[in-house]
Amino acid sequence: MRTIHEIAPLMFQKEQQLIEEKIKGYCTANDLALADLKWQAIPFAGEWGLATSFFQTAANEAKLGKGSKLPVPQKAQEIANQVAAQMGSVDGISRIEAVKGYLNVYFKTSDYAKRVVDEVLKSKNNFGRGEKKTETVMVEYAQPNTHHSFHIGHARNTILGEALARLVEFAGYETIRASYPGDLGLGVITVMWIYEKFYKGQEPEGVHERGQWLAKLYVEATALLEKKENETPEETAQREAYDAERREMYRKWDVGDEAVRNLWHVTREWSLEELRDVLRMLDVQMDVWFYESEVDEPSKLIVEELVQKNIADDERPQGGAVIVKIDEKLGLTKEKYRTNVILRRDGTTLYLTKDLALAKEKFEKYHVDRSIYVVDVRQSLHLQQAFAILKLWGFPQAEKCYHLGYGFVSLPEGAMSARRGRVVLFKDVYDEAVKRALSVEAEKSADIPAEEREEIATQIGLGALVYSMLSVDNNKDIVFDINEALSFDGRTGPYIQNAYVRANSILKKSKVEGRKSDNLQPAVFDYELTKHEIELIELISQFPQKVQQAAEEYRPLVMASYAYDLANTFHSFYHAVNVMQTEDEKIKNARLQLVSAAKQTIENALRLLDIQSPDVM
Ligand code: ARG
């Protein structure tokens, strides 16, 4: 994870660069060891500005024992003073001052406001898009195990991953979206076993029903195969017989038995169809599909290589497994990654083994520079172990793998459990969300045609759901309360969408009055701006930087909070400033432009969060 230092609005980069050049010129001429320049925005207090400090440079000088023996703060101020004195005039800058070791650069308010608004209206959907970067980033997410149903925890994963992918992409990186469903293992075989035994030939209708049915079979099978308390000898015998059948099926799968492989293909497809439909509902387009089953074989080759290189210990001759003593090999004295089996005695691979092959595939086949894994925080140790083994192996990009963990989603009544069938299905929550949004719409917006209303309700219901997943820090657990998630007040998706709708309605009204809102006169902000206008302009100007920050820090929450702040500021503006009633035509025009810029920025922010902006609601 990288942190962003420059938090100054990006549209003033030109001025920033000009000034930086002058500073560098001054420092070279005077033999000063200039530190990296970091810029900060100066919040509005009569005017907007940017600031950069000379403390680090002063400290560098002191360390080198150069120049006057002034204490660092005074030295910083001295440099700032001299830099300011020889700066001369810079286009677009109204005033430059040296204060407490900082160089403060101010803009003329009307220029600044105009620059911000013009930039948004010129760039439209691309407002905030970062410069193209050379790195390719892969984001892996939406990778549930097959033969299970898609629950609300998977939804958190998918939404977080998609928002991150959108942010990274918009920030300027080449972005590859990847999924990695777990499509083999005992859980999968368990479902196949019970299907074959008791349900062969059956198949519910409907993509989601079928996917969910597999999850029910899993619960049922688990109950049959699990050791119970006070079992009678007959029950024990029965259970053991079932388990033997399951193991036999697993063996057959391993050796590629045609019938078992066919059954596997068919049932796996049921799960994947459901997954693909969920992704469609969430507007997620995967670029690459990896499957655990496909990296199984390649991962065995890696095991061989690790043994040859003496990184793994082959204890098979002694009746053991192939293991990697990670801590020991890394020379760690404290337990950190522990010792791990990478090949069982019977020659089968583990989840960990397959992750080694997956990483290789990602970097070598797709030429990615960075690889982000959006995975439940409970798998943190697992991924750290995989990355550590990659490092031992000498895999060049081991350091370029990053785990973005997220807390789990529990219910008010406790943890979810796929084994017990206690899960909240995403599809159920989705349906409920849309239903509730529709009933609110039916009351509030009866004038909207029914079909359109349905589409809007989907956008709102989904917006509520998605935002409730993104507005919590990824490290925190979520206790998923459907009522709270779907409440439309406070920090919610619909609250933000409503700001967009209000902006849109003002612009529509202005059109009604004969203005073409997308073709307004150039805005002139040379009047006394109200506090609400200032706040709005300031927030809009921060958007490009928020995009960079969220992408560099892998934190969609940065954008989720920003979207809320922007909406909140717009709602206040909307209540305080009556745009359509503004008498002065020039001011009214400027305000309409500002509304249009706000609308565009809200839309861009929501889009990065995978939330749509309905025109009306
Ligand atoms: N399929 C796994 C699960 O549902 C998540 C996969 C995580 N990705 C990885 N490369 N291990 O738990």
Side-chain angles (χ1 to χ4, degrees):
M1 166 153 22
R2 292 147 354 149
T3 41
I4 204 116
H5 298 296
E6 291 156 41
I7 55 159
L10 290 171
M11 43 257 183
F12 298 96
Q13 254 173 356
K14 208 181 92 219
E15 284 76 10
Q16 198 176 300
Q17 267 163 16
L18 256 170
I19 292 170
E20 279 186 16
E21 270 158 37
K22 292 200 178 198
I23 296 174
K24 281 180 194 147
Y26 172 82
C27 288
T28 316
N30 293 280
D31 189 30
L32 288 174
L34 179 65
D36 255 3
L37 287 166
K38 292 167 190 167
W39 292 89
Q40 286 176 341
I42 304 174
F44 192 88
E47 52 204 329
W48 277 291
L50 299 177
T52 190
S53 123
F54 289 101
F55 279 83
Q56 195 52 52
T57 303
N60 287 353
E61 285 291 300
K63 226 188 276 156
L64 294 169
K66 280 162 59 191
S68 56
K69 294 274 165 297
L70 284 176
V72 169
Q74 273 95 312
K75 178 78 189 160
Q77 176 61 18
E78 187 186 273
I79 300 171
N81 266 332
Q82 286 163 3
V83 166
Q86 59 83 59
M87 189 62 69
S89 79
V90 179
D91 254 2
I93 304 289
S94 64
R95 176 164 85 78
I96 293 177
E97 62 178 21
V99 179
K100 294 189 180 144
Y102 279 84
L103 185 75
N104 295 341
V105 173
Y106 292 97
F107 300 91
K108 229 173 107 191
T109 300
S110 59
D111 278 356
Y112 187 97
K114 181 173 170 49
R115 185 88 76 84
V116 172
V117 169
D118 283 355
E119 172 74 26
V120 182
L121 298 183
K122 187 183 89 214
S123 307
K124 301 199 171 70
N125 283 344
N126 285 317
F127 171 60
R129 188 187 284 280
E131 264 174 49
K132 209 146 187 47
K133 314 212 176 10
T134 52
E135 261 182 305
T136 299
V137 179
M138 179 174 274
V139 187
E140 183 212 300
Y141 59 107
Q143 69 283 65
N145 294 333
T146 62
H147 300 75
H148 277 299
S149 207
F150 198 92
H151 59 61
I152 196 73
H154 296 130
R156 181 175 194 187
N157 170 303
T158 303
I159 290 162
L160 193 62
E162 178 63 15
L164 181 64
R166 288 180 183 215
L167 285 160
V168 168
E169 191 168 48
F170 202 66
Y173 295 97
E174 193 65 52
T175 304
I176 303 177
R177 293 164 165 81
S179 172
Y180 177 56
D183 58 344
L184 52 86
L186 195 61
V188 170
I189 300 291
T190 302
V191 175
M192 285 161 59
W193 165 77
I194 196 170
Y195 173 82
E196 184 80 357
K197 181 137 190 98
F198 298 115
Y199 296 97
K200 202 171 170 145
Q202 296 186 29
E203 181 183 335
E205 272 205 32
V207 174
H208 292 274
E209 289 71 8
R210 222 168 37 189
Q212 290 163 15
W213 184 55
L214 292 177
K216 284 202 198 92
L217 295 192
Y218 180 69
V219 175
E220 211 179 302
T222 307
L224 289 177
L225 289 156
E226 217 171 37
K227 193 172 162 65
K228 284 167 268 315
E229 272 173 53
N230 312 318
E231 267 177 359
T232 64
E234 291 77 32
E235 282 170 337
T236 307
Q238 176 68 274
R239 176 172 55 74
E240 285 174 355
Y242 286 159
D243 193 38
E245 287 172 17
R246 172 170 67 162
R247 262 179 297 154
E248 173 60 7
M249 194 177 230
Y250 205 163
R251 191 194 62 78
K252 282 183 162 171
W253 187 92
D254 253 340
V255 298
D257 176 276
E258 207 185 306
V260 173
R261 286 285 173 131
N262 273 344
L263 175 63
W264 174 66
H265 271 295
V266 170
T267 48
R268 182 180 98 137
E269 196 51 29
W270 291 351
S271 285
L272 294 177
E273 269 175 27
E274 191 195 7
L275 175 57
R276 288 193 288 263
D277 199 55
V278 170
L279 296 186
R280 182 193 55 75
M281 288 152 78
L282 290 171
D283 193 20
V284 173
Q285 273 139 30
M286 276 297 156
D287 300 307
V288 184
W289 289 86
F290 297 112
Y291 297 97
E292 271 189 40
S293 60
E294 285 175 1
V295 285
D296 185 33
E297 282 305 319
S299 74
K300 290 180 184 164
L301 299 177
I302 296 179
V303 172
E304 289 314 314
E305 208 182 311
L306 290 173
V307 170
Q308 265 163 30
K309 287 193 168 170
N310 238 335
I311 295 159
D313 296 320
D314 190 352
E315 299 185 340
R316 281 177 295 183
Q318 297 88 48
V322 179
I323 59 171
V324 183
K325 296 175 180 161
I326 307 180
D327 292 337
E328 193 187 296
K329 299 281 172 186
L330 282 173
L332 301 178
T333 45
K334 269 208 207 116
E335 180 181 272
K336 188 168 179 194
Y337 303 108
R338 306 175 194 170
T339 292
N340 286 272
V341 175
I342 55 169
L343 198 71
R344 292 193 193 91
R345 226 169 34 190
D346 61 6
T348 55
T349 69
L350 292 95
Y351 182 44
L352 181 62
T353 327
K354 291 183 269 276
D355 257 313
L356 304 176
L358 176 72
K360 183 175 153 77
E361 179 101 349
K362 284 179 176 177
F363 283 101
E364 293 183 357
K365 188 153 170 214
Y366 294 91
H367 307 292
V368 304
D369 298 290
R370 269 192 283 157
S371 177
I372 308 172
Y373 296 69
V374 182
V375 183
D376 188 328
V377 73
R378 285 171 292 185
Q379 294 191 29
S380 189
L381 179 61
H382 161 80
L383 287 169
Q384 295 317 317
Q385 287 165 340
F387 302 161
I389 296 176
L390 288 170
K391 191 170 163 193
L392 283 170
W393 183 28
F395 189 71
Q397 298 99 335
E399 314 265 332
K400 301 286 186 167
C401 295
Y402 181 82
H403 172 211
L404 179 66
Y406 58 91
F408 59 88
V409 184
S410 63
L411 309 177
E413 55 270 29
M416 284 199 275
S417 159
R419 296 174 78 81
R420 313 265 165 249
R422 198 174 56 220
V423 296
V424 174
L425 296 174
F426 167 73
K427 182 64 168 46
D428 291 346
V429 178
Y430 173 91
D431 288 344
E432 179 69 18
V434 175
K435 202 177 90 194
R436 290 195 193 188
L438 199 54
S439 81
V440 174
E441 282 305 289
E443 229 172 79
K444 270 192 5 196
S445 318
D447 50 324
I448 301 173
E451 201 176 299
E452 201 180 315
R453 225 188 293 155
E454 196 131 338
E455 197 191 319
I456 295 168
T458 308
Q459 295 177 338
I460 298 173
L462 210 47
L465 185 58
V466 168
Y467 195 80
S468 76
M469 295 283 155
L470 293 177
S471 58
V472 177
D473 192 85
N474 55 287
N475 291 314
K476 294 214 176 84
D477 291 343
I478 295 181
V479 178
F480 186 78
D481 180 333
I482 186 162
N483 293 315
E484 218 174 275
L486 298 185
S487 123
F488 293 165
D489 307 316
R491 286 185 170 268
T492 66
Y495 175 83
I496 304 169
Q497 288 171 319
N498 193 230
Y500 177 89
V501 166
R502 280 179 162 168
N504 192 46
S505 87
I506 295 175
L507 296 170
K508 264 196 304 201
K509 262 190 219 131
S510 85
K511 263 191 191 170
V512 172
E513 287 182 7
R515 240 182 260 261
K516 269 184 79 194
S517 62
D518 34 7
N519 190 20
L520 298 168
Q521 301 296 309
V524 181
F525 290 96
D526 61 355
Y527 58 98
E528 176 113 35
L529 298 176
T530 64
K531 160 173 161 277
H532 301 281
E533 286 163 296
I534 287 163
E535 282 172 2
L536 197 51
I537 291 164
E538 187 155 314
L539 265 155
I540 294 171
S541 77
Q542 288 169 6
F543 178 66
Q545 212 54 53
K546 295 285 178 184
V547 172
Q548 295 299 321
Q549 189 194 346
E552 297 296 339
E553 295 179 5
Y554 306 149
R555 275 177 76 219
L557 175 65
V558 167
M559 189 49 63
S561 305
Y562 170 80
Y564 172 79
D565 291 342
L566 178 61
N568 195 26
T569 306
F570 186 80
H571 283 302
S572 307
F573 165 86
Y574 179 87
H575 289 302
V577 181
N578 193 328
V579 177
M580 291 312 288
Q581 231 106 99
T582 307
E583 264 165 35
D584 183 320
E585 268 303 310
K586 203 180 71 192
I587 298 180
K588 183 172 174 177
N589 179 59
R591 286 180 172 161
L592 281 169
Q593 303 263 29
L594 177 57
V595 169
S596 182
K599 177 186 154 194
Q600 184 69 60
T601 310
I602 297 169
E603 185 190 331
N604 291 7
L606 283 177
R607 194 180 61 241
L608 294 176
L609 299 173
D610 196 11
I611 297 176
Q612 296 183 39
S613 301
D615 281 343
V616 283
M617 65 192 274

